[in-house]
Each structure stands twice: as structure tokens, then as C-alpha cells.
Amino acid sequence: MYRKNLVKTLTLLLFVIAFSANAQHEEAHVEETKLSTQDTEKLERKEYIKHHLLDSYSFNLFSYEKDNGETAHVGFPLPIILIDGGLQVFSSSKFHHGETVAENNGNFYKLDHNKIYKTDAAGTIEYDEHHHATNEKPLDFSFTKGAFMILLTCILMFWLFTSLAKSYVKNGGISKGFGRLFEPIVLYIRDDIAIPNIGEKKYKKYMPYLLTIFFFIWFLNMFGLTPFGVNVTGNIAVTVALALLTFLITNFTGTKDYWKHIFDPLGDTLPWFGKIPLYIILIPIELLGIVIKPFSLLIRLYANMQAGHIVLGSLIGLMFFFKSWLGSPMSFGLAFAISLIEVLVALLQAYIFTMLSALYFGFASEEHEHHEESPAH
């Protein structure tokens, strides 16, 4: 009797263990599938944020899914301009948002990772071991979404400040109209940025550039916070071009004293043979500083605006990650708060770029009065 009960107990125990192991295997399989789904959604969010940060060949306002499952894009195409055995000009609509091969004058082109490659009629893209496309790339001078927003910003600035200047002429130095809103900012840049850093004698020749660069960066930063999703100042090519302008103006308008400070920073404090060992170190540092100053401008503007868009995109993506009545509203509220901070950052970055540019211009245009030192008694 005892032996029978023992057999029954062991059989029941083995059955329970087998059932538990099977249940754990099933749970692990489900969890593995769940993790795989989460990883897929995480990858999709990352790709969407990257796509938002990149420039594009069409101006896409928004997209939605039709009843048949197709994705409809609302926007307008931009011109594609390529140099490939001659001038190749066609509309970006031929790409159908990267889904099809574009044909023009017997040549075939395809978008891959937001770059145009030459291909065949089937759209074949060859990759190397690092998954980099090896197809030939034509010279690309296309009019992208970023270029469109730069042109739009330039037109807006020209209209605003032309109307402001005309109102000064018509009303005896008193501004009227919409441009009047920007008059205090113009006066602030003149009285609190240009004159203190450059000086009253030479600030006027730098004012057009300082005003242009301030409003240009500010307007582009504000456009980047709109639903249009235009991250122009988050493009390092744009910030390099802006910093290069500051670099060229600084060095081409530099006075004799500016260059003397770079190549002879110690002046007449030591005889020439005593300065040679020091200048082996000092002059390369001074020359390096000429490059570091504009580099700090471009990397600061680029990094701040790029990071702001990444943070906002990540917070918005958390709403789809939580999928709950508590987590999603909290993510939306945090994204809204960060958006308000980004409005301040957009203005602050324009101010910092303008302030530092004026500071560099002040260093370059500074002139020292040279007096003959009286002999020591």
C-alpha cells in the first residue's frame, strides 16, 4: 500500500514538474516573442526620429493610411538636379517617396538612405560588407526641403525688414506695421551686442551681417519647432556655412594689430632671440584658436538643435511605448514642456551665435594706440 502511494505521488510530481516546465517554456516563448515585438517597435521609433532629422527631396506635410492599407503622403515634390553625363532635371515625385525607381533620359536612379544612386531599371543596389551602397552617385545639386525653407526664410526676412525700412522713411523715423515688432530686437542688437563688443567707430559695417545672422538662425529654429518637421539648423552643413562666414569676415577685416597679436603675442617685452623658444608653442596655439572659434559656433548650434529634436521625438515616441491612460499623457505633457523650453533655446542659440560673432569682430577690428615708452630712470 505504501509502495503504491509512493508511485502515485512520484507520478503526480513528475506530471506537475513536466507541466511547469512546459508552461515556463511557453511563457518564455511568449516573452521572447513579446520582446521581439518591443524591439521592432523600438527600432521603428528610432528610424522615424532619424527620418525626421534628415533632409528630404520632397516637402511632406503629413501622411495617413488609407482604408486599403496604403500610405498617402500630403505635400509637394521638389526639383531633382543631377550632373550625370549632362544635366538631369526631374521632379522628386518620380521616386514616390523612395518606393520606385526614377527614370530620366534613359538613366535610372533610386533613393537609398536618403541618397540618390544610379541603378538599373530594376532598382538594384549593391552593398559592401559594411552594408554601404557601392553604386555610382551622380553629383547632386537638388533642391531639398532644407533649401526650400532657407529660401522661404530669406523671402520672409526681406519682406519684413524692407517694410520696416520703408515705414521709417514714410513716417519720419517712426516704424509702423508688422515690422515694428522687430524694432526693439534690432535696437538691442545694435546697442547691447554690436557697440559694446566692436566699438562705436566700426560697428556699422558689421551690423548688416549681425542682424541677418540673428534673424536667420532664429526664424529657422522656430520653423524647426513647427509640425513641418524642418530641422535646418540641425544640419551640420548649414552650421558650417554660417560659421565659415563669421570666420572669413573676422580674418578678412582683421587689422594689423590683430595679426600682430597672433604672430607676435609678446610684443616688445622680450628680444627676438628670447621669444623664439616661446613662439614655437604660442604661435601654433594662436593659429589653432582662429579655427577653434568658428568651430565652437557651428558645433554649439548644431548639437543643441539636433539634441532638442531627438529629445522631443523620443518623448513623443514614449506615448506609443506606454500605451496607457497614465504614461501617454505624462509623456505628452513632458514633450509639451520641452517644446516650450525649445522656443527659448531657439532664441538663445541665435543670440549666442550673434554675440560671439560680434565678439570675434571686435577682436579683429581692435586697434591699439602705440606710444613710445619713456626710458626708465
Side-chain angles (χ1 to χ4, degrees), residues 210-248:
L210 294 175
L211 290 173
T212 302
I213 204 71
F214 176 84
F215 286 103
F216 182 75
I217 294 174
W218 184 29
F219 287 174
L220 284 178
N221 288 348
M222 294 303 294
F223 277 128
L225 298 176
T226 62
F228 295 143
V230 185
N231 186 30
V232 178
T233 48
N235 187 335
I236 196 166
V238 175
T239 59
V240 166
L242 296 176
L244 184 61
L245 288 174
T246 298
F247 171 79
L248 293 175

Side-chain angles (χ1 to χ4, degrees), residues 119-152:
T119 182
D120 52 21
T124 305
I125 300 290
E126 300 290 340
Y127 299 96
D128 59 14
E129 62 275 9
H130 302 291
H131 201 69
H132 296 153
T134 58
N135 291 49
E136 180 185 352
K137 285 199 301 182
L139 289 176
D140 192 356
F141 297 94
S142 302
F143 198 76
T144 61
K145 181 172 67 174
F148 176 82
M149 290 309 302
I150 289 174
L151 179 61
L152 181 63

Side-chain angles (χ1 to χ4, degrees), residues 27-96:
E27 185 179 353
H29 180 70
V30 171
E31 185 177 356
E32 183 179 355
T33 306
K34 183 179 180 181
L35 288 175
S36 177
T37 304
Q38 289 179 349
D39 290 340
T40 303
E41 293 178 352
K42 184 179 179 181
L43 182 62
E44 289 178 354
R45 288 194 296 270
K46 285 184 177 179
E47 290 297 324
Y48 184 82
I49 294 172
K50 287 181 180 179
H51 178 74
H52 169 76
L53 297 175
L54 292 174
D55 204 354
S56 63
Y57 292 97
S58 59
F59 204 104
N60 190 31
L61 298 175
F62 61 91
S63 58
Y64 63 94
E65 189 172 337
K66 297 181 179 179
D67 295 335
N68 56 5
E70 295 181 0
T71 302
H73 300 275
V74 178
F76 53 89
L78 296 170
I80 301 295
I81 305 171
L82 305 174
I83 304 295
D84 181 30
L87 187 64
Q88 307 288 339
V89 181
F90 56 93
S91 173
S92 63
S93 60
K94 288 188 175 183
F95 288 119
H96 292 285

